[in-house]
Amino acid sequence: MTTIVLKPFRTNLQRFATGAPVPAEADLSPFTFDHLKEKRFIGEEKPNKAGKNAPPDPAPAA
């Protein structure tokens, strides 16, 4: 699975936007990978379920 950004954050060298992949070789200082994962800034990408469509948008209230 791929690690992705769940909440945007900055490191000493770059910014990470929501949804961006986090390369294994990325310099995350002053943070650690485990710290960012514990605080839910990064996490594992969830696989899409094949054959499932997104739920339709609710109808606007009249």
Side-chain angles (χ1 to χ4, degrees):
M1 277 192 204
T2 304
T3 302
I4 61 167
V5 177
L6 303 175
K7 294 190 284 188
F9 65 94
R10 293 187 310 205
T11 66
N12 288 339
L13 299 176
Q14 71 184 94
R15 292 177 192 226
F16 289 89
T18 303
V22 180
E25 66 277 355
D27 181 3
L28 301 175
S29 61
F31 310 108
T32 65
F33 183 87
D34 291 335
H35 175 79
L36 291 170
K37 194 166 184 177
E38 177 185 312
K39 298 297 182 181
R40 298 188 180 168
F41 280 89
I42 59 175
E44 298 297 320
E45 184 174 30
K46 294 179 181 158
N48 293 335
K49 303 219 183 226
K52 288 224 171 190
N53 294 333
D57 290 335

